[in-house]
């Protein structure tokens, strides 16, 4: 029988500058959007599009990603809670059972995908004056690269993890097993960071450390696969005539990215949502199926009519 490596994941919250904490999750988003802007700049230059339109595209994409991802989580995964806490949808606070700052916990990639498509429709008609599929075929390249860093952010946050495993890939997520409050209470150390470090290093807390099981690092599985999704789209755009087949790269993106999501869901812990009513598949899998079907439609459409436009 194979056994998980004894990797205990106990990350710091971020880079402490003394006067400001740069959280890793936020940093990953900054890198994702920054790299996305750079990639689209190169694409705009190749297509002889004015770079000044890129600023508008960047703003619309950022807003669509964040708002769509948030609404996706609320509607698809946790509506039963948020229907009674509407203010918490767009406020980084929890009001019950006590008022506390939580940040925006919960972002769904399916919601982000829908919102980006809607935003690109507006952008293509009002700003770019190009067919919708023209911009979708190109924006999916930076979106695919951004997905890699978002999953790295999830890894730093010890969220969206998998089932327990004895495979060599298993990682022991300390922060998933013990919340900050639980770590403080269990160790009687008031500083959460010091409490976590004590659980890992102090032999007298060995019983607590033993409670941390190894689980699939599903964030890393997805992030690793998204590298190939990005590489395929990047290569096809720059080295082949795929960009001339309207809708092809967009469709391929949907099929590849959400197929990865569908497969990884098999080893991922339940995130809640509609799976309790529908059964058979997880919520993430049910939501991925329509995207895969739509992607296949655009791939077939592009192959049959390469010059089709929207």
């Amino acid at each position: 029988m194979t056994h998980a490596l004894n990797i205990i994941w106990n990350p710091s919250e971020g880079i402490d500058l003394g006067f400001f904490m740069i959280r890793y999750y936020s940093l990953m988003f900054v890198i994702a959007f920054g790299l996305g802007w750079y990639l689209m700049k190169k694409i705009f230059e190749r297509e002889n599009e004015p770079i000044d339109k890129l600023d508008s595209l960047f703003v619309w994409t950022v807003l669509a990603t964040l708002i769509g991802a948030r609404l996706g989580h609320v509607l698809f995964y946790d509506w039963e809670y948020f229907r009674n806490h509407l203010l918490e949808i767009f406020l980084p606070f929890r009001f019950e059972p006590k008022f506390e700052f939580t940040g925006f916990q919960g972002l769904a990639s399916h919601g982000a995908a829908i919102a980006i498509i809607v935003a690109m429709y507006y952008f293509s008609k009002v700003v770019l004056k190009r067919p919708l599929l023209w911009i979708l075929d190109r924006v999916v390249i930076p979106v695919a690269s951004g997905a890699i860093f978002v999953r790295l952010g999830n890894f730093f946050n010890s969220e969206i993890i998998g089932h327990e495993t004895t495979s060599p890939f298993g990682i022991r997520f300390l922060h998933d097993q013990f919340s900050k409050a639980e770590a403080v209470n269990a160790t009687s150390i008031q500083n959460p960071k010091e409490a976590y470090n004590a659980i890992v290093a102090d032999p007298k807390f060995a019983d607590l450390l033993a409670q941390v099981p190894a689980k699939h690092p599903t964030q890393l599985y997805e992030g690793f696969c998204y590298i190939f999704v990005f590489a395929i789209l990047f290569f096809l755009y720059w080295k082949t005539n795929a960009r001339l087949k309207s809708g092809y790269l967009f469709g391929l993106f949907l099929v590849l990215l959400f197929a990865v999501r569908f497969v990884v869901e098999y080893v991922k812990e339940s995130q809640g949502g509609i799976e309790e009513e529908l059964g058979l598949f997880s919520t993430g899998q049910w939501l991925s199926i329509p995207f895969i079907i739509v992607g296949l439609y655009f791939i077939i459409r592009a192959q049959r009519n390469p010059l089709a436009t929207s």
Side-chain angles (χ1 to χ4, degrees), residues 27-186:
L27 180 60
M28 292 301 105
F29 266 90
V30 170
I31 294 174
F33 287 125
L35 178 59
W37 183 90
Y38 176 79
L39 291 170
M40 282 306 296
K41 179 176 180 290
K42 293 298 183 182
I43 290 172
F44 269 42
E45 289 174 345
R46 182 184 195 185
E47 306 282 356
N48 295 316
E49 282 293 329
I51 299 300
D52 61 332
K53 293 182 180 180
L54 187 59
D55 293 335
S56 178
L57 174 63
F58 180 78
V59 171
W60 278 99
T61 304
V62 170
L63 290 176
T65 300
L66 298 179
I67 295 174
R70 181 60 173 167
L71 288 178
H73 172 78
V74 169
L75 297 175
F76 299 145
Y77 289 93
D78 210 4
W79 177 240
E80 285 302 312
Y81 173 81
F82 283 104
R83 65 187 295 185
N84 298 314
H85 303 84
L86 296 178
L87 285 177
E88 295 181 22
I89 295 177
F90 291 112
L91 293 177
F93 305 105
R94 179 181 292 123
F95 297 96
E96 296 178 1
K98 64 178 182 178
F99 180 83
E100 62 176 320
F101 175 81
T102 60
F104 291 108
Q105 297 179 338
L107 298 172
S109 58
H110 298 91
I114 294 172
I116 288 174
I117 293 171
V118 172
M120 291 307 100
Y121 175 81
Y122 174 86
F123 178 79
S124 66
K125 299 301 181 184
V126 176
V127 180
L128 196 61
K129 308 298 183 182
R130 288 264 203 170
L132 173 60
L133 287 177
W134 186 93
I135 187 62
L136 288 177
D137 279 333
R138 288 149 180 80
V139 80
V140 293
I141 298 172
V143 169
S145 70
I148 301 168
F149 294 98
V150 170
R151 284 298 177 247
L152 285 177
N154 294 139
F155 181 67
F156 279 110
N157 271 8
S158 299
E159 60 189 7
I160 314 181
I161 62 177
H163 299 301
E164 293 185 21
T165 180
T166 57
S167 79
F169 303 108
I171 291 178
R172 300 169 70 185
F173 292 92
L174 183 64
H175 296 203
D176 173 69
Q177 183 68 21
F178 300 110
S179 67
K180 290 181 180 179
E182 290 170 338
V184 167
N185 290 335

Side-chain angles (χ1 to χ4, degrees), residues 3-11 155 158 165 167-175 200 209 212-217 220:
H3 295 279
L5 298 175
N6 192 34
I7 298 176
I8 303 168
W9 186 235
N10 177 33
F155 181 67
S158 299
T165 180
S167 79
F169 303 108
I171 291 178
R172 300 169 70 185
F173 292 92
L174 183 64
H175 296 203
V200 173
L209 186 60
V212 184
K215 295 185 177 183
H216 286 288
L220 297 184

Side-chain angles (χ1 to χ4, degrees), residues 3 7 23 26 38 71-72 112 157 199 246 272 288 300-301 305:
H3 295 279
I7 298 176
R23 299 184 183 279
S26 300
Y38 176 79
L71 288 178
N157 271 8
I199 293 175
S246 182
S288 296
I300 296 171
R301 176 179 180 271
N305 188 11

Side-chain angles (χ1 to χ4, degrees), residues 220-275:
L220 297 184
Y221 296 168
E222 283 190 53
F224 180 75
C225 291
Y226 292 161
I227 293 174
F228 292 96
V229 175
F230 166 71
I232 291 170
L233 295 172
F234 186 89
F235 174 81
L236 289 175
Y237 174 80
W238 287 100
K239 301 297 183 180
T240 74
N241 67 347
R243 71 186 185 282
L244 304 178
K245 300 178 180 180
S246 182
Y248 180 75
L249 291 176
F250 172 60
L252 186 62
F253 164 82
L254 293 180
V255 171
L256 293 177
L257 187 128
F258 288 104
V260 168
R261 178 68 185 272
F262 188 93
V263 172
V264 175
E265 283 284 327
Y266 278 113
V267 294
K268 187 183 295 184
E269 287 185 344
S270 172
Q271 304 295 307
I274 60 177
E275 61 193 54

